[in-house]
Amino acid sequence: MSITGGLLFLLLGVWIFITPESIATLVPIVIGVVLLVHSLRDFQLASEAKSNGSEKWGLLFLLALLNCVFGVVCICDSFGVVSLAIRMLGIALVYDGISAMIIVYHAAQAIRHAAEKIEPIDVDAYEVDGK
């Protein structure tokens, strides 16, 4: 690596360290650009499908449009996208906690119920010669 490359990485590292929120909002922007570029290809494919007689070209066009809208939202409201993603993670953790408690409770109830049904086995013991 050259001194210039090292200096660029140093500056980038300092920038990320000082303003980590800038990276958090940069990720949705990059994803938004990728979605927009991909949606352009999707529009082309929907157009090709229409010209080749596909009856589903309208659905393909709507899917491409939705992809485009997602890209624009990611670019224009990157902080909102990050905020929504963090809320979704919170919802997932709340769900996981509640479902874990329900599962453990019902599994313990089933084990307790099964244990109550177990009856001792009455057997006679006798010694066996080891010869």
Side-chain angles (χ1 to χ4, degrees):
M1 178 181 288
S2 67
I3 290 178
T4 306
L7 183 60
L8 286 174
F9 280 131
L10 172 68
L11 292 174
L12 180 64
V14 169
W15 177 60
I16 292 170
F17 183 76
I18 293 173
T19 58
E21 66 276 355
S22 62
I23 294 300
T25 56
L26 186 63
V27 170
I29 292 171
V30 171
I31 291 172
V33 169
V34 169
L35 288 173
L36 277 178
V37 169
H38 191 239
S39 71
L40 293 175
R41 180 66 181 141
D42 291 343
F43 282 123
Q44 288 176 335
L45 290 173
S47 176
E48 287 177 23
K50 180 182 179 185
S51 65
N52 287 317
S54 173
E55 295 178 9
K56 303 283 185 180
W57 72 269
L59 175 63
L60 300 177
F61 181 80
L62 287 175
L63 292 173
L65 183 63
L66 186 61
N67 205 15
C68 183
V69 168
F70 284 146
V72 169
V73 168
C74 285
I75 292 169
C76 294
D77 190 19
S78 60
F79 182 75
V81 169
V82 170
S83 178
L84 178 64
I86 290 173
R87 282 191 176 110
M88 294 301 293
L89 290 172
I91 289 169
L93 289 172
V94 167
Y95 168 78
D96 182 59
I98 291 171
S99 66
M101 290 187 292
I102 291 170
I103 291 168
V104 167
Y105 173 78
H106 285 288
Q109 291 285 43
I111 291 169
R112 199 172 299 122
H113 182 68
E116 290 171 357
K117 288 183 175 182
I118 296 175
E119 295 183 20
I121 300 173
D122 190 18
V123 296
D124 293 325
Y126 60 93
E127 252 183 74
V128 177
D129 264 346
K131 294 183 186 178

